[in-house]
Amino acid sequence: MFTAITHSQIFVLDQNEAVDFYVGTLGLEIHTDADLGFMRWLTINVPGRPDRQILLSLPGGPSMSPETADQLRELVTKGAAGGTLILATDDCRKTYETLRSRGVEFTEEPTERPYGIDCGFRDPFGNHIRMTQPLPA
């Protein structure tokens, strides 16, 4: 059957602004940036991990009507679109300080949890992102 999850998708409201944030601020890298005619296929990944990509997608056609895209844009802005990413780090507190110095808006400070240390922040569009330092195996 299946062998891997290769892509996850998150809605953004401006792909160039998304690149600025995910690549310029968070340090991820662009995997693919291709004009497919009907959409811009823009994926990013953690450096050195091209096997797991995130599609930065605009709400809209061809998979949804203009009315649905308008509704989805409103939900993204409210942080209610359901898009969530969880990024792993070796040092949650150090990465938190680095990203804070770059202007990232955190919603939660690093906190010890049963599974490790994690915190939360939002991208410029309202999507929830968690950063986790897993417990050693």
Side-chain angles (χ1 to χ4, degrees):
M1 290 287 290
F2 303 109
T3 59
I5 296 174
T6 61
H7 293 74
S8 299
Q9 178 267 335
I10 193 165
F11 286 110
V12 298
L13 302 181
D14 181 300
Q15 289 175 310
N16 291 328
E17 187 177 352
V19 168
D20 288 345
F21 180 74
Y22 285 98
V23 176
T25 302
L26 298 186
L28 303 182
E29 62 185 20
I30 294 175
H31 183 279
T32 304
D33 189 355
D35 182 356
L36 302 182
F38 59 92
M39 70 175 288
R40 179 180 177 191
W41 182 265
L42 176 60
T43 65
I44 56 172
N45 58 270
V46 171
R49 299 294 310 266
D51 55 321
R52 184 68 196 263
Q53 299 170 45
I54 301 165
L55 173 64
L56 302 173
S57 180
L58 294 174
S63 64
M64 64 182 71
S65 70
E67 295 79 20
T68 300
D70 287 344
Q71 293 170 337
L72 186 52
R73 279 189 280 276
E74 187 174 325
L75 290 173
V76 169
T77 301
K78 293 178 179 177
T84 300
L85 300 174
I86 302 174
L87 302 171
T89 180
D90 292 333
D91 188 332
C92 187
R93 289 185 173 90
K94 182 178 178 183
T95 305
Y96 168 83
E97 292 301 332
T98 299
L99 295 180
R100 262 189 58 182
S101 74
R102 294 178 184 171
V104 173
E105 175 191 347
F106 278 85
T107 56
E108 291 180 48
E109 294 183 3
T111 303
E112 292 191 28
R113 310 274 186 197
Y115 50 83
I117 302 171
D118 84 352
C119 60
F121 59 97
R122 291 181 184 228
D123 73 6
F125 314 103
N127 291 304
H128 297 279
I129 303 171
R130 298 217 60 90
M131 177 173 61
T132 300
Q133 176 186 338
L135 290 175

